[in-house]
Amino acid sequence: MSPTRTRGLVISSQSGFYTVQSDDGQWVCQLRGRLKKGRREGDVVGLGDWVRITPIGVERGVIDEIEPRKRMLSRMAPLPSGEYQQIIIANPDQAVFVFACRDPDPRFGMLDRYLVIAEKGEVPALIVANKTDLVSNSRPGELFGLYSEIGYPVLYTSIVNGEGLAELKDHLVGKISVLSGPSGVGKSSLLNTMMPGLDLAHRTVSQATSKGRHTTVAKEMYPLEGGGYIADTPGLKALALWDMEPDELDGYFPELRERVAGCQFSDCTHIHEPGCAVQAAVDSGRISRQRYESYSRMRSGQEEEYL
Ligand code: GDP
Ligand code: ZN
């Protein structure tokens, strides 16, 4: 009897071995030989891919086919032979960016950079402002309110008093989320509090050992109680803006994007041109100066401090 093919999700990858979760269990798989052809140019399969496999033994299988991706976060890694496309995650439903209201103080330049990456990848973003217990009642809104005005959902949370935790859980369950944010903001605490079964110990280790290396990509997704997965993606930080043409950047700031048609010059950089609708909106307070400054820093290539 020939083995039945089955469909599953790639939930971890290591040195050419992929763990595939299907309805009937987990399979450790390698790629079918003919799928390896494209491997010089980039990852053929990545975390978050839906694949078809043929079981070849006890919990072992071969990946025969990779389903088309809805979307993908990837980065181009320079190699002596050219560029290599690393898949950070395939098919994420959302990107969750966690910052603290204080300890550490939020670095909005970094948040803006993450948001640009999400916009470019067409991944819906969710902002989590954690540690609300450390500041006065009005402070979280003063810090993060401008992002709701632009249209990004912002959740205010605290593991100390429980604020927003149920709501955050609702946003995570049933979805594949990539989670990012500076260290110390409470990412592991939030996940551990909401999902007591989730063991993030090894995650913390892998993150610690990846410090300073710019090539690390997420290798594992963690299942959530009630469905869905969290992928930890240190690799997101390494998505350099050199993957991006300078003139695409205004398209990844929603509040700039909706105004560029009003600029006098079609190739307006919104930095110094006369008749610029973006600069006018900054002057009249309709675009936040802080966001505009993030834009101009990224546009002029001065964003390295956020790498
Ligand atoms: P990670 O590096 O983003 O995973 O951050 P951790 O989860 O390790 O948290 C860093 C520190 O912040 C720990 O000492 C946590 O106890 C603390 N912490 C996390 N969330 C909160 C919060 O909502 N309020 C307060 N006051 N402290 C928090
Ligand atoms: Zn302009």
Side-chain angles (χ1 to χ4, degrees):
M1 204 180 76
S2 67
T4 353
R5 288 174 80 202
T6 178
R7 175 176 185 261
L9 180 70
V10 176
I11 60 165
S12 87
S13 103
Q14 188 170 24
S15 319
F17 289 90
Y18 305 92
T19 305
V20 175
Q21 178 76 54
S22 76
D23 284 344
D24 44 357
Q26 284 189 1
W27 309 85
V28 177
C29 301
Q30 284 181 287
L31 278 178
R32 179 77 71 200
R34 67 180 161 76
L35 288 179
K36 292 182 185 168
K37 270 191 305 206
R39 266 215 301 214
R40 275 172 189 280
E41 291 83 48
D43 293 336
V44 174
V45 60
L47 218 55
D49 265 322
W50 285 96
V51 295
R52 304 258 167 187
I53 65 163
T54 302
I56 52 167
V58 180
E59 292 168 10
R60 309 274 295 181
V62 176
I63 296 177
D64 294 308
E65 196 183 319
I66 296 134
E67 293 185 7
R69 298 176 183 122
K70 309 193 260 199
R71 56 175 81 93
M72 172 172 68
L73 289 175
S74 67
R75 70 181 290 259
M76 299 306 293
L79 284 183
S81 55
E83 284 192 322
Y84 182 93
Q85 186 176 33
Q86 282 180 327
I87 299 175
I88 294 173
I89 184 152
N91 304 315
D93 292 307
Q94 64 183 352
V96 181
F97 301 130
V98 186
F99 284 78
C101 295
R102 59 168 290 189
D103 289 344
D105 286 338
R107 287 164 60 194
F108 293 108
M110 187 173 179
L111 173 55
D112 292 334
R113 186 191 161 81
Y114 280 141
L115 292 171
V116 163
I117 291 165
E119 291 282 342
K120 184 178 164 73
E122 297 178 17
V123 181
L126 170 68
I127 297 167
V128 175
N130 189 37
K131 306 201 191 185
T132 54
D133 59 282
L134 294 182
V135 294
S136 67
N137 284 348
S138 59
R139 190 68 184 141
E142 287 161 17
L143 290 167
F144 291 91
L146 76 92
Y147 291 93
S148 333
E149 279 167 38
I150 301 165
Y152 292 109
V154 182
L155 294 183
Y156 296 97
T157 61
S158 164
I159 65 155
V160 171
N161 63 25
E163 181 185 359
L165 297 183
E167 209 181 342
L168 176 56
K169 191 170 177 179
D170 282 347
H171 276 80
L172 297 177
V173 166
K175 294 183 184 149
I176 294 182
S177 306
V178 292
L179 186 82
S180 242
S183 64
V185 297
K187 297 183 298 299
S188 341
S189 311
L190 283 169
L191 293 175
N192 286 329
T193 311
M194 289 185 309
M195 318 280 170
L198 193 69
D199 172 20
L200 287 180
H202 54 307
R203 170 186 165 274
T204 312
V205 170
S206 75
Q207 208 169 36
T209 54
S210 73
K211 275 228 172 72
R213 273 196 294 146
H214 281 195
T215 51
T216 317
V217 294
K219 292 293 185 200
E220 197 164 357
M221 304 202 294
Y222 303 93
L224 295 176
E225 227 170 62
Y229 290 89
I230 300 279
D232 177 40
T233 54
L236 211 56
K237 285 188 210 126
L239 278 178
L241 293 177
W242 47 254
D243 271 354
M244 210 171 277
E245 297 300 327
D247 62 6
E248 322 170 33
L249 188 62
D250 57 13
Y252 304 137
F253 281 75
E255 73 275 46
L256 268 65
R257 180 166 69 212
E258 66 185 32
R259 289 187 167 91
V260 297
C263 294
Q264 188 179 333
F265 300 103
S266 63
D267 60 352
C268 188
T269 66
H270 325 300
I271 304 287
H272 51 73
E273 292 84 349
C276 171
V278 169
Q279 292 171 76
V282 175
D283 290 339
S284 67
R286 282 168 295 147
I287 287 181
S288 126
R289 193 163 292 277
Q290 177 184 302
R291 285 274 292 171
Y292 176 72
E293 280 167 8
S294 285
Y295 166 80
S296 37
R297 258 197 319 268
M298 287 184 220
R299 174 86 208 203
S300 58
Q302 290 166 0
E303 88 298 345
E304 280 79 9
E305 62 187 290
Y306 300 112
L307 280 177

